[in-house]
Amino acid sequence: DEILGPNVPRNVVIQLWHAGDSLPEAVEQGHSGLLSTGYYLDSMERAGQYYRVDPIAKSDTPLSSDQLRLVLGGEACMWSELVSDENIDSRIWPRAASIAERLWSPQQVQDLGSMYRRLNTVSIQLGRLGLTHRSSTEVMISRMADSHDPAAPALRVLAEVVEPASLNLRGAEAEKAGRVGTSNTPLNRMVDAVTPESEGARRFSEAVNQFIAGQFLDARIEARIRILLLLWRDNDSQLQPLLQNSFLLKELSPISQNLASLADTGLQAIDYIDKSERPPDARYREQLAIIQLAQKPTADLLLAVAPSVQKLVEASAGTVPTQESSSH
């Protein structure tokens, strides 16, 4: 799209890769065009984020039928600065399938819940075809902690609720630390092993949303949320001995501690909800501060469950309906 201008021949196809509205501008000038902005898999966005991007939706003004025919579609992109033979499948699949469906589907197809249910099926099918987008993560995590180590399960628990920070953020953090990545940089950290999107965090988010939407009355969903929060709260004490004795894993110590504090905050929020009480203002501010700290990238990782815990805390601070009042 850098070449777009009045003197470019009409038979030149324009690829939009910058953020902006060059694609509508291109087709308005009579060029065919395709969209790459929003479809960069190496940016580590979640599948749902890619699914919301649409080549036509970039336009603020309606395109004519002739102009719409010039929109060729889009392109899923994968840059390889931070991939290896071992983890490349996990960086492409199954999220590339969500982009593919976006590009062959009508604009009005926007049901994320349906997309994710089918994406899970596709992911299983891809594994049967020999892709290692799931199995490679298990292999890499197992290499970090010997399977016979009693703390190995705790490392997997942490791995299931974190996601890699964006490529840009990871590059900025490396620059601040004085590190320069090269093709010889070993990709052997937790951030290199975990999948770009945490399935565990997404399922937890669904449970929290259902719990809140149901006005906190579904005891089964509450029990499921509590079990997970208790698991995460107690995980740090089991994991710290492994982290402290490993040069490679020591950087995970703060994020493990943040997960424990975050989970404890979520449990307190549910306790307030169960008692139909609002937390004191000072306690509420303290809870938000814990969540804010947990949302900061640590070891180039993000705690993917933090936004859902924040929803619980905010729900506890609102007007909590009683069972009697909510039945009307």
Side-chain angles (χ1 to χ4, degrees), residues 30 52 63 94 102 131 160 219:
R52 293 187 182 97
L63 299 176
R102 169 77 284 131
L131 294 181
E160 288 171 357

Side-chain angles (χ1 to χ4, degrees), residues 264-299:
D264 188 56
T265 299
L267 288 166
Q268 292 175 22
I270 293 181
D271 288 340
Y272 282 119
I273 289 171
D274 284 349
K275 292 183 291 187
S276 296
E277 295 179 0
R278 296 181 60 174
D281 290 343
R283 180 57 188 148
Y284 180 59
R285 289 193 297 270
E286 182 182 343
Q287 289 175 320
L288 293 180
I290 290 172
I291 293 168
Q292 185 177 17
L293 177 63
Q295 289 177 327
K296 292 182 178 180
T298 304

Side-chain angles (χ1 to χ4, degrees), residues 58 60 69 118 123 128 135 159 161 204 209 254 272:
K58 280 285 183 182
D60 293 329
R69 280 192 286 270
R118 291 176 289 105
S123 181
R128 290 171 181 166
S135 60
V161 296
F204 180 69
N209 290 340
Y272 282 119

Side-chain angles (χ1 to χ4, degrees), residues 94-150:
R95 295 175 305 143
S98 67
I99 298 176
E101 179 169 295
R102 169 77 284 131
L103 294 175
W104 70 49
S105 301
Q107 269 188 295
Q108 62 268 27
V109 177
Q110 294 286 342
D111 188 336
L112 288 183
S114 172
M115 184 277 290
Y116 271 114
R117 286 190 295 274
R118 291 176 289 105
L119 190 66
N120 184 59
T121 300
V122 169
S123 181
I124 294 171
Q125 293 170 341
L126 292 170
R128 290 171 181 166
L129 291 172
L131 294 181
T132 62
H133 58 295
R134 285 182 167 181
S135 60
S136 63
T137 294
E138 176 61 27
V139 170
M140 295 175 78
I141 296 297
S142 296
R143 193 162 55 234
M144 294 177 187
D146 189 291
S147 59
H148 299 295
D149 192 305

Side-chain angles (χ1 to χ4, degrees), residues 35-315:
L35 181 69
S36 297
T37 302
Y39 295 139
Y40 279 83
L41 291 163
D42 51 291
S43 69
M44 299 295 181
E45 300 288 352
R46 297 172 179 174
Q49 181 65 29
Y50 296 114
Y51 201 67
R52 293 187 182 97
V53 179
D54 190 284
I56 299 173
K58 280 285 183 182
S59 179
D60 293 329
T61 58
L63 299 176
S64 68
S65 57
D66 288 339
Q67 291 170 337
L68 285 173
R69 280 192 286 270
L70 294 174
V71 178
L72 302 180
E75 173 194 37
C77 312
M78 181 66 223
W79 289 77
S80 58
E81 289 92 338
L82 295 173
V83 300
S84 63
D85 290 344
E86 189 169 36
N87 72 359
I88 188 169
D89 278 358
S90 71
R91 271 51 189 146
I92 298 175
W93 303 105
R95 295 175 305 143
S98 67
I99 298 176
E101 179 169 295
R102 169 77 284 131
L103 294 175
W104 70 49
S105 301
Q107 269 188 295
Q108 62 268 27
V109 177
Q110 294 286 342
D111 188 336
L112 288 183
S114 172
M115 184 277 290
Y116 271 114
R117 286 190 295 274
R118 291 176 289 105
L119 190 66
N120 184 59
T121 300
V122 169
S123 181
I124 294 171
Q125 293 170 341
L126 292 170
R128 290 171 181 166
L129 291 172
L131 294 181
T132 62
H133 58 295
R134 285 182 167 181
S135 60
S136 63
T137 294
E138 176 61 27
V139 170
M140 295 175 78
I141 296 297
S142 296
R143 193 162 55 234
M144 294 177 187
D146 189 291
S147 59
H148 299 295
D149 192 305
L155 186 64
R156 291 187 180 89
V157 168
L158 178 62
E160 288 171 357
V161 296
V162 295
E163 295 174 350
S166 70
L167 183 66
N168 290 338
L169 192 149
R170 187 170 175 180
E173 289 297 310
E175 186 175 340
K176 283 196 299 185
R179 301 192 306 266
V180 178
T182 71
S183 59
N184 294 321
T185 300
L187 301 180
N188 57 357
R189 302 164 63 209
M190 175 73 85
V191 66
D192 302 308
V194 297
T195 57
E197 181 167 5
S198 166
E199 292 184 19
R202 183 171 57 80
R203 289 192 296 269
F204 180 69
S205 175
E206 290 173 352
V208 169
N209 290 340
Q210 291 175 24
F211 182 55
I212 295 173
Q215 298 182 314
F216 322 119
L217 300 177
D218 194 319
R220 289 178 300 177
I221 293 180
E222 178 180 339
R224 192 189 321 161
I225 293 171
R226 278 190 178 275
I227 288 171
L228 289 171
L229 290 172
L230 286 167
L231 173 67
W232 299 334
R233 185 197 65 184
D234 299 338
N235 196 65
D236 180 62
S237 61
Q238 301 172 47
L239 184 56
Q240 282 297 336
L242 172 63
L243 302 184
Q244 296 304 320
N245 290 323
S246 170
F247 174 80
L248 184 63
L249 297 177
K250 189 172 291 187
E251 66 173 356
L252 301 176
S253 180
I255 198 168
S256 178
Q257 293 169 347
N258 287 344
L259 176 61
S261 299
L262 187 69
D264 188 56
T265 299
L267 288 166
Q268 292 175 22
I270 293 181
D271 288 340
Y272 282 119
I273 289 171
D274 284 349
K275 292 183 291 187
S276 296
E277 295 179 0
R278 296 181 60 174
D281 290 343
R283 180 57 188 148
Y284 180 59
R285 289 193 297 270
E286 182 182 343
Q287 289 175 320
L288 293 180
I290 290 172
I291 293 168
Q292 185 177 17
L293 177 63
Q295 289 177 327
K296 292 182 178 180
T298 304
D300 293 330
L301 291 165
L302 297 170
L303 273 173
V305 296
S308 298
V309 173
Q310 182 168 345
K311 286 183 180 180
L312 285 173
V313 170
E314 291 173 347

